[in-house]
Amino acid sequence: MNLLYPSRRGVLGALLLGPLLGAWATRAHGQTAPAAPSPIVQPSAPSKAAFLERARELRDAAVAAGDQPYGAVVVRNDVIVGQGRSEVVSATDPTAHSELMAVRDAARRLGTRSLSDCDMYSSATPCPMCQGALYWAGIRRVYTETTLEHGLAPKLAC
């Protein structure tokens, strides 16, 4: 058999057994499929103050885990669709800010990269990196304790 032109049997065998062997190899090395996201705690009465309170709870959870004190939630139609707490220290990831973690969570849960119909509630004013990510995700408004009334539109400028 010529190695440049494999037989049909070899090609069909590789197509049929490849996925099975790949799954076996993944399990054999301790890797598993990503777990389904946990349910998001919703406030009893949706309001700007309640969403900001949830961001503060996530901030407190970050502190309890030994991380930086930041938390954020992404809200669409008065429902929290994504949440995040700072994981910069625990994940050893300088980009794991709470706002980015919330955007990633919302995009994953909603199955889209466009969050143009969503708002964010954060325990602090987002840094320039997070502002840029919120801009590119299409977040409409960002609310913090100091901007709770009208919020801010994300921008690309520093």
Side-chain angles (χ1 to χ4, degrees):
M1 174 167 83
N2 188 342
L3 291 178
L4 294 177
Y5 301 103
S7 68
R8 278 188 290 174
R9 183 181 301 169
V11 170
L12 291 175
L15 288 173
L16 292 173
L17 294 177
L20 296 174
L21 291 175
W24 173 79
T26 299
R27 274 189 246 115
H29 293 294
Q31 299 172 351
T32 59
S38 60
I40 295 177
V41 175
Q42 299 293 331
S44 56
S47 68
K48 290 179 180 177
F51 296 134
L52 190 56
E53 180 58 32
R54 180 64 185 142
R56 284 191 214 107
E57 290 171 6
L58 291 164
R59 174 197 63 197
D60 296 342
V63 171
D67 225 306
Q68 297 174 337
Y70 302 105
V73 295
V74 176
V75 175
R76 181 173 75 172
N77 298 329
D78 287 337
V79 175
I80 298 174
V81 294
Q83 61 185 4
R85 64 172 183 80
S86 177
E87 295 182 22
V88 171
V89 175
S90 61
T92 317
D93 180 356
T95 67
H97 293 199
S98 62
E99 295 88 355
L100 291 182
M101 301 304 286
V103 165
R104 291 172 185 159
D105 187 43
R108 203 173 13 249
R109 289 174 190 267
L110 296 174
T112 181
R113 64 183 179 90
S114 174
L115 303 176
S116 59
D117 55 350
C118 298
D119 297 319
M120 172 165 283
Y121 293 82
S122 179
S123 63
T125 302
C127 72
M129 175 183 68
C130 292
Q131 285 271 348
L134 298 175
Y135 174 85
W136 288 113
I139 297 286
R140 291 184 301 203
R141 305 297 284 175
V142 180
Y143 297 93
T144 64
E145 289 183 26
T146 58
T147 63
L148 192 56
E149 185 66 32
H150 302 291
L152 298 171
K155 58 184 178 180
L156 283 177
C158 292

